[in-house]
Amino acid sequence: MTELRDCAVATAQTLPLTPDAAPRAVARGLQESLLTSLELGIRDRLATVDRRFAARVAVWESGADKAPRAPRMVTPWPDFLGSLAVAGAMASAAGMGRLTGGTEMNSLPVVAPTVIVSYAVAFVLFAVGVVFVRRERDALLAEYEDSRAVTRETVLGTSALFAVICLIAMIVRLFTDDVFPAAIAATAVAVLGAIVTLLLAVGAWRLAKASAAGGKWIQRPKGTVRGRQRNEALSASEDARDEAAAVLEDVSPETRDELAEAYAAAAAEIASRRVLPAKTVKRLVPGDWIAARYDVEV
């Protein structure tokens, strides 16, 4: 405990301060060195809470009447187009010809190449989608309302469902129709397609859960006013405190006590420097570092 407390006090002694410094910024500056003592998984979960909180209070703290325009992004359009290609493969394999009066579209010599070509297009589009997701990852994680990470999760989840149906349909065709090399190749491609789409769907789900939206679709209000934004900011603060406390439930009670005592000592050191006004020092909440971390000035 002494080592962690000494580290916190040393941070407080050297932390740059100005009289107009925001309480939350000061508190987080003090906590930066403390949180490094936690496991990486715990820190990552806290970072997710931080992102969600930041996205929800951004409009209130910017002073704008409306949320800032979302940045232009390509995601999730490549994935959406890839999903359409998988849907085409599924429709062909499942018997699209039956819906068109039993035409040749239902015959395996037509279905097999259709499935192969459809998946070839889908794989290219999904690869493009992955490239853009990597480029736009930070922006995707920061979105709270109208989250494109959540939209992508839905699209790829639907694609995985289509791919599984396509695979089942191709396996049934192998048992009921004449087998030839192209049909076997199409079935192998369907197997690969099911695996790829399932992996992409799991990855999209993880990204959506890690985003500020937390995997939930939250629609952007058409017209917001300052009163609503203030209430949203206060609600965001309360929710973030509860979520952070839930994360820290996976930390031992001894570690939680050490963090609390070290932060209290650091806050006391900040107060002793007499740079910050009394009201800012009070908002550092020495007895509750989580409350200080998600403090909102209203």
Side-chain angles (χ1 to χ4, degrees):
M1 185 194 306
T2 302
E3 182 178 350
L4 191 62
R5 184 182 184 280
D6 290 346
C7 179
V9 171
T11 300
Q13 291 171 342
T14 58
L15 187 70
L17 294 177
T18 58
D20 61 346
R24 187 170 77 238
V26 175
R28 292 195 177 195
L30 296 176
Q31 296 165 13
E32 195 67 31
S33 60
L34 300 180
L35 296 183
T36 57
S37 64
L38 299 176
E39 295 180 359
L40 179 59
I42 298 295
R43 298 203 303 271
D44 287 344
R45 290 165 63 191
L46 282 175
T48 298
V49 176
D50 290 349
R51 276 195 298 271
R52 188 174 301 122
F53 169 77
R56 293 179 66 183
V57 302
V59 180
W60 166 254
E61 295 187 340
S62 70
D65 289 335
K66 295 183 179 180
R69 186 180 298 275
R72 291 182 178 272
M73 286 192 281
V74 175
T75 305
W77 290 110
D79 303 289
F80 176 73
L81 295 175
S83 179
L84 292 180
V86 176
M90 177 202 69
S92 179
M96 184 173 64
R98 295 189 180 93
L99 302 178
T100 57
T103 64
E104 289 298 316
M105 286 294 293
N106 192 46
S107 65
L108 193 53
V110 175
V111 168
T114 301
V115 169
I116 294 172
V117 171
S118 296
Y119 267 117
V121 173
F123 290 156
V124 171
L125 290 168
F126 287 147
V128 172
V130 169
V131 170
F132 278 102
V133 165
R134 289 179 177 175
R135 290 183 180 180
E136 300 167 348
R137 181 179 177 82
D138 290 343
L140 290 169
L141 288 172
E143 282 191 317
Y144 177 66
E145 296 170 337
D146 293 353
S147 169
R148 276 163 279 202
V150 175
T151 301
R152 180 172 179 266
E153 175 197 7
T154 302
V155 168
L156 289 175
T158 303
S159 297
L161 177 61
F162 288 164
V164 170
I165 294 174
C166 178
L167 174 59
I168 293 172
M170 287 304 302
I171 292 173
V172 171
R173 283 182 178 276
L174 285 183
F175 283 101
T176 58
D177 292 349
D178 294 333
V179 178
F180 55 95
I184 296 175
T187 304
V189 169
V191 172
L192 178 62
I195 295 172
V196 169
T197 53
L198 284 170
L199 291 175
L200 287 172
V202 170
W205 174 79
R206 289 176 176 172
L207 180 66
K209 290 292 289 184
S211 72
K216 301 176 182 178
W217 176 254
I218 302 168
Q219 188 172 8
R220 186 189 300 273
K222 297 302 180 183
T224 58
V225 295
R226 293 298 285 168
R228 179 194 175 279
Q229 293 168 3
R230 177 182 181 277
N231 292 337
E232 174 67 14
L234 291 172
S235 177
S237 177
E238 293 177 4
D239 291 346
R241 294 178 194 184
D242 292 341
E243 292 168 10
V247 170
L248 291 173
E249 285 297 318
D250 293 336
V251 176
S252 68
E254 293 78 11
T255 300
R256 292 199 298 269
D257 290 343
E258 288 178 8
L259 286 172
E261 291 183 22
Y263 175 74
E269 182 65 29
I270 288 292
S272 70
R273 292 175 59 183
R274 301 185 182 279
V275 176
L276 301 177
K279 63 178 183 179
T280 300
V281 172
K282 183 178 180 180
R283 295 186 75 93
L284 292 179
V285 196
D288 188 351
W289 68 270
I290 294 179
R293 186 172 187 82
Y294 300 109
D295 176 75
V296 174
E297 297 185 75
V298 295

